[in-house]
Amino acid sequence: MRKDDCIFCKIAAGEIPATKVYEDDDVLAFEDLSPMMPVHTLIIPKDHYDNIADNIPDEVMGRLFNTVGKVARLKGVDEGGFRVVVNTGDDACQSVHHVHVHVLGGAQMNDGDPSLKGE
Ligand code: DGP
């Protein structure tokens, strides 16, 4: 299932280039275009869902979040620690409306600061 005007659907289909970190039949992990941390990788399901509240089937949700640990290991932040963020909707400043998990790490973060943008 794909949405034609969705940039992450185009990345999943290989129509827009991205630096891949991990890929299998169901999910793709790739480097964020505007990294906010030394490690900033996005994980998406290849099928289109607008956000995490978009009735994502359990199997897809499981595959999406099971990829977090794989990405953390591949990026070398599994031991030092990392943060997982899923911006959802306008209040959270979701800018790409294809559900994606941010995996952030590689430097010390603020305690309890939920902001990705430092605002
Ligand atoms: P969010 O605010 O949670 O919707 O984050 C969307 C992220 O997607 C943002 O950190 C920048 C990233 N991004 C937007 N367009 C592209 C793109 O074309 N390629 C890649 N690699 N990342 C993108």
Side-chain angles (χ1 to χ4, degrees):
M1 167 179 32
R2 149 190 188 130
K3 199 171 172 196
D4 281 339
D5 60 352
C6 171
I7 195 159
F8 283 0
C9 284
K10 290 179 180 169
I11 288 176
E15 295 164 11
I16 291 178
T19 304
K20 291 181 187 176
V21 173
Y22 173 83
E23 182 173 19
D24 62 28
D25 287 346
D26 303 298
V27 303
L28 175 66
F30 56 96
E31 304 294 17
D32 194 289
L33 197 61
S34 310
M36 295 176 182
M37 294 285 292
V39 171
H40 191 167
T41 302
L42 304 175
I43 309 169
I44 61 168
K46 290 185 172 178
D47 283 343
H48 183 93
Y49 301 92
D50 287 345
N51 58 53
I52 202 167
D54 189 18
N55 296 313
I56 300 175
D58 290 351
E59 188 178 322
V60 176
M61 193 75 91
R63 290 183 184 279
L64 187 62
F65 278 90
N66 270 326
T67 305
V68 169
K70 292 174 186 161
V71 165
R73 285 188 287 279
L74 286 166
K75 296 300 296 181
V77 294
D78 53 314
E79 292 190 6
F82 57 93
R83 186 167 286 169
V84 173
V85 174
V86 185
N87 292 322
T88 306
D90 292 342
D91 279 0
C93 302
Q94 182 182 2
S95 61
V96 179
H97 295 274
H98 179 130
V99 64
H100 52 280
V101 177
H102 296 256
V103 178
L104 298 143
Q108 182 63 53
M109 284 170 263
N110 294 333
D111 182 19
D113 179 359
S115 173
L116 261 183
K117 297 191 163 67
E119 293 163 356

PDB file of all heavy atoms in Angstrom, residues 16 28-29 36 72 74 78 96 110:
ATOM      1  N   ILE A  16      13.679   7.827  -4.760  1.00  0.00           N
ATOM      2  CA  ILE A  16      14.464   8.940  -4.218  1.00  0.00           C
ATOM      3  C   ILE A  16      15.615   8.306  -3.441  1.00  0.00           C
ATOM      4  O   ILE A  16      15.383   7.379  -2.639  1.00  0.00           O
ATOM      5  CB  ILE A  16      13.613   9.831  -3.291  1.00  0.00           C
ATOM      6  CG1 ILE A  16      12.563  10.587  -4.108  1.00  0.00           C
ATOM      7  CG2 ILE A  16      14.472  10.805  -2.501  1.00  0.00           C
ATOM      8  CD1 ILE A  16      11.654  11.457  -3.268  1.00  0.00           C
ATOM      9  N   LEU A  28      12.476  -0.285   6.169  1.00  0.00           N
ATOM     10  CA  LEU A  28      13.705   0.327   5.663  1.00  0.00           C
ATOM     11  C   LEU A  28      14.202   1.311   6.711  1.00  0.00           C
ATOM     12  O   LEU A  28      13.408   2.086   7.259  1.00  0.00           O
ATOM     13  CB  LEU A  28      13.404   1.066   4.348  1.00  0.00           C
ATOM     14  CG  LEU A  28      14.553   1.868   3.735  1.00  0.00           C
ATOM     15  CD1 LEU A  28      15.682   0.949   3.280  1.00  0.00           C
ATOM     16  CD2 LEU A  28      14.053   2.702   2.560  1.00  0.00           C
ATOM     17  N   ALA A  29      15.507   1.263   6.978  1.00  0.00           N
ATOM     18  CA  ALA A  29      16.136   2.261   7.848  1.00  0.00           C
ATOM     19  C   ALA A  29      17.137   3.040   7.018  1.00  0.00           C
ATOM     20  O   ALA A  29      17.911   2.451   6.244  1.00  0.00           O
ATOM     21  CB  ALA A  29      16.826   1.578   9.027  1.00  0.00           C
ATOM     22  N   MET A  36      20.163  15.548  13.640  1.00  0.00           N
ATOM     23  CA  MET A  36      20.205  16.382  14.838  1.00  0.00           C
ATOM     24  C   MET A  36      21.154  15.819  15.890  1.00  0.00           C
ATOM     25  O   MET A  36      21.368  16.440  16.922  1.00  0.00           O
ATOM     26  CB  MET A  36      18.807  16.507  15.425  1.00  0.00           C
ATOM     27  CG  MET A  36      17.880  17.257  14.493  1.00  0.00           C
ATOM     28  SD  MET A  36      16.223  17.326  15.109  1.00  0.00           S
ATOM     29  CE  MET A  36      15.428  18.185  13.764  1.00  0.00           C
ATOM     30  N   ALA A  72      20.386   0.248  16.190  1.00  0.00           N
ATOM     31  CA  ALA A  72      21.271   0.704  17.264  1.00  0.00           C
ATOM     32  C   ALA A  72      22.591  -0.066  17.243  1.00  0.00           C
ATOM     33  O   ALA A  72      23.674   0.521  17.403  1.00  0.00           O
ATOM     34  CB  ALA A  72      20.568   0.548  18.618  1.00  0.00           C
ATOM     35  N   LEU A  74      23.883  -1.651  14.563  1.00  0.00           N
ATOM     36  CA  LEU A  74      24.598  -1.301  13.330  1.00  0.00           C
ATOM     37  C   LEU A  74      25.282   0.064  13.442  1.00  0.00           C
ATOM     38  O   LEU A  74      26.355   0.277  12.880  1.00  0.00           O
ATOM     39  CB  LEU A  74      23.627  -1.292  12.140  1.00  0.00           C
ATOM     40  CG  LEU A  74      23.179  -2.662  11.641  1.00  0.00           C
ATOM     41  CD1 LEU A  74      21.969  -2.533  10.708  1.00  0.00           C
ATOM     42  CD2 LEU A  74      24.325  -3.349  10.902  1.00  0.00           C
ATOM     43  N   ASP A  78      24.228   0.928  20.716  1.00  0.00           N
ATOM     44  CA  ASP A  78      23.468   0.017  21.574  1.00  0.00           C
ATOM     45  C   ASP A  78      24.014  -0.013  22.994  1.00  0.00           C
ATOM     46  O   ASP A  78      23.257  -0.197  23.950  1.00  0.00           O
ATOM     47  CB  ASP A  78      23.424  -1.398  20.974  1.00  0.00           C
ATOM     48  CG  ASP A  78      24.797  -1.937  20.634  1.00  0.00           C
ATOM     49  OD1 ASP A  78      25.590  -1.187  20.026  1.00  0.00           O
ATOM     50  OD2 ASP A  78      25.085  -3.099  20.968  1.00  0.00           O
ATOM     51  N   VAL A  96       6.765  14.747   8.001  1.00  0.00           N
ATOM     52  CA  VAL A  96       6.558  13.759   6.935  1.00  0.00           C
ATOM     53  C   VAL A  96       5.493  12.782   7.432  1.00  0.00           C
ATOM     54  O   VAL A  96       5.685  12.100   8.450  1.00  0.00           O
ATOM     55  CB  VAL A  96       7.861  13.008   6.592  1.00  0.00           C
ATOM     56  CG1 VAL A  96       7.593  11.973   5.504  1.00  0.00           C
ATOM     57  CG2 VAL A  96       8.936  13.986   6.126  1.00  0.00           C
ATOM     58  N   ASN A 110      20.022  15.758  26.723  1.00  0.00           N
ATOM     59  CA  ASN A 110      19.453  16.336  27.932  1.00  0.00           C
ATOM     60  C   ASN A 110      18.538  15.339  28.615  1.00  0.00           C
ATOM     61  O   ASN A 110      17.853  14.560  27.959  1.00  0.00           O
ATOM     62  CB  ASN A 110      18.651  17.597  27.599  1.00  0.00           C
ATOM     63  CG  ASN A 110      19.526  18.701  27.089  1.00  0.00           C
ATOM     64  OD1 ASN A 110      20.706  18.762  27.424  1.00  0.00           O
ATOM     65  ND2 ASN A 110      18.972  19.563  26.256  1.00  0.00           N
TER      66      ASN A 110
END
